[in-house]
Amino acid sequence: MREQELHQPEPPAQDCGSGDENQSVAQLNVSRLRSSSVEIREKGSEFLKEELHRAQKELKLKDEECERLSKVREQLEQELEELTASLFEEAHKMVREANTKQAASEKQLREARGKIDMLQAEVTALKTLVITSTPSSPNRELHPQLQSPSKTAFRKGHGRNKSTSSTVVTATSQGTPSEPAGSEFKEVDSILFAEFQAWKESPSLDKSCPFLERIYQEDVGPCLDFTKRELSELVQAAVEQNTLTIEPAAVQALPVVKVSAIECGGPKKCALSGLSRACRHRIKLGDSGNYYYISPSCRARITAVCNFFTYVRYIQQGLVRQDAELMYWEIMRLRKEMSLAKLGFYSSEM
């Protein structure tokens, strides 16, 4: 019994040992749970860090892409602006060139019309100077034998070589006066006629030949000797080169004028004489864009010299088919016009 009593407390000891075991197991489980949770937390943290790093990297790539696209957009906008500006500049340039060409074409058209008018006037004048005679239509004044007896009455000293003008003497009667035309008589100057004949053998515009040298000294030079000496020399050079243009002052002036208004004159001031005169015409020298207003007197003097040079050029080109004496008297008539113009006489049409 005693042994039984002694052995009776042992069961509680077993129960106590099992409780400790259970407690240790529970603690072990708790520690396991804790370690697993820590591990899970660490893994979760690492995963989240990786995700965050990946997201940051993608965001950085997107920022770089956005920046690149922004630069591309700015570059395209700049190129578009430059292209637009260049297009507008090119368009304005084309418009300016078109306007310039149009102005040049209009200028050439006006000059061509002026030249056409001048050539038509020269042709008309040439027709009056050139004498033609054909078998089908003979000129009766060139062929006196075809005239009626009443028109071929004998005239003393003029029985041969009748000219086309009753006021022109023939080469056979150079020493006697011709028939009067009204109250005017004519007589050929032997020296002048000899100089003209020598020039006519080889006509030219060389001033050194005696024929033209005399006319330059006596007529051309004084007729073109205006108050404004420098401009006078330019006018004479343009007349000699056949590049002088005279036109009515009503024609609109060119837009580009490089010479001052004082030098060019104006509608009420002559550029050659410097006097206050009503200027209905203006001149242009060569291809210059400058126009100079001239008075009627100055225009008459320039026109007289131009008429002389025109006729001399006709002779030089072989367009005047007249007797030498007729040519001589035509030149004398043109010299007379220059002399009268130099003295201030001019037609009311000027």
Side-chain angles (χ1 to χ4, degrees):
M1 287 297 291
R2 194 171 188 176
E3 291 177 357
Q4 292 179 355
E5 290 177 358
L6 291 171
H7 288 289
Q8 283 179 356
E10 290 179 0
Q14 290 179 356
D15 293 337
C16 183
S18 62
D20 292 336
E21 184 179 355
N22 290 334
Q23 185 176 1
S24 63
V25 170
Q27 290 177 353
L28 181 61
N29 291 334
V30 170
S31 63
R32 287 178 179 176
L33 288 174
R34 287 178 178 175
S35 62
S36 62
S37 63
V38 170
E39 185 179 355
I40 291 172
R41 189 180 299 112
E42 290 177 354
K43 288 183 178 180
S45 178
E46 291 178 358
F47 176 76
L48 291 176
K49 288 180 179 179
E50 290 178 357
E51 290 293 327
L52 178 61
H53 182 67
R54 185 167 59 252
Q56 289 177 348
K57 188 176 181 181
E58 291 179 356
L59 183 61
K60 184 178 180 181
L61 292 174
K62 289 186 180 295
D63 289 341
E64 291 177 354
E65 183 69 16
C66 289
E67 185 177 358
R68 186 182 67 82
L69 292 176
S70 297
K71 290 182 179 179
V72 171
R73 185 185 65 181
E74 291 176 358
Q75 184 178 0
L76 290 176
E77 289 179 350
Q78 184 178 1
E79 291 179 355
L80 181 61
E81 290 178 358
E82 292 178 354
L83 179 61
T84 304
S86 63
L87 287 176
F88 274 107
E89 184 178 357
E90 187 68 22
H92 287 300
K93 183 179 178 181
M94 292 174 64
V95 171
R96 288 195 300 269
E97 290 179 353
N99 292 335
T100 303
K101 290 181 179 179
Q102 182 180 0
S105 300
E106 292 177 354
K107 175 185 174 183
Q108 292 177 355
L109 179 61
R110 290 195 298 269
E111 291 179 352
R113 287 177 176 174
K115 290 181 179 179
I116 289 173
D117 294 340
M118 182 180 66
L119 290 175
Q120 288 178 346
E122 290 181 355
V123 169
T124 303
L126 183 60
K127 288 181 179 179
T128 62
L129 296 176
V130 177
I131 300 175
T132 59
S133 178
T134 61
S136 61
S137 179
N139 190 319
R140 294 183 178 275
E141 293 183 350
L142 287 177
H143 304 278
Q145 68 274 15
L146 299 178
Q147 296 182 357
S148 61
S150 60
K151 294 183 179 180
T152 57
F154 176 76
R155 297 172 183 176
K156 184 177 180 180
H158 300 278
R160 296 184 295 114
N161 298 329
K162 291 289 195 297
S163 66
T164 57
S165 174
S166 61
T167 62
V168 179
V169 298
T170 64
T172 59
S173 59
Q174 295 177 4
T176 59
S178 65
E179 291 181 346
S183 59
E184 184 179 23
F185 290 85
K186 292 181 180 180
E187 183 176 353
V188 173
D189 185 285
S190 58
I191 298 177
L192 296 180
F193 190 73
E195 292 177 351
F196 169 72
Q197 285 184 317
W199 172 84
K200 186 177 176 299
E201 294 297 326
S202 180
S204 67
L205 297 180
D206 186 9
K207 302 179 185 178
S208 61
C209 69
F211 172 68
L212 289 182
E213 183 180 6
R214 179 190 297 273
I215 296 177
Y216 264 95
Q217 293 177 354
E218 298 178 359
D219 302 309
V220 175
C223 198
L224 295 181
D225 184 17
F226 299 101
T227 305
K228 305 294 182 180
R229 292 297 179 85
E230 183 177 356
L231 184 57
S232 300
E233 294 176 358
L234 295 176
V235 170
Q236 180 171 334
V239 171
E240 293 173 352
Q241 298 168 7
N242 199 22
T243 58
L244 183 140
T245 304
I246 303 178
E247 63 181 34
V251 178
Q252 185 177 1
L254 294 177
V256 179
V257 177
K258 299 180 180 179
V259 180
S260 64
I262 297 178
E263 296 177 351
C264 292
K268 294 184 178 180
K269 185 174 182 180
C270 179
L272 287 170
S273 65
L275 300 176
S276 297
R277 296 289 186 271
C279 302
R280 296 191 294 270
H281 291 81
R282 61 183 187 175
I283 59 174
K284 186 179 73 168
L285 310 178
D287 296 331
S288 171
N290 302 320
Y291 284 85
Y292 303 90
Y293 289 85
I294 56 175
S295 64
S297 176
C298 292
R299 181 192 175 220
R301 292 165 66 172
I302 295 174
T303 303
V305 177
C306 289
N307 291 339
F308 167 76
F309 275 99
T310 299
Y311 187 70
V312 168
R313 290 190 187 97
Y314 285 160
I315 297 177
Q316 182 187 15
Q317 297 168 7
L319 299 177
V320 182
R321 302 181 183 277
Q322 287 181 327
D323 182 73
E325 190 175 332
L326 292 177
M327 297 183 191
Y328 169 81
W329 279 116
E330 178 62 21
I331 289 176
M332 294 302 106
R333 185 187 67 80
L334 295 172
R335 291 188 63 182
K336 178 182 177 182
E337 289 185 357
M338 287 189 284
S339 299
L340 291 176
K342 175 63 179 70
L343 295 174
F345 296 96
Y346 62 90
S347 172
S348 60
E349 298 177 356
M350 292 293 178

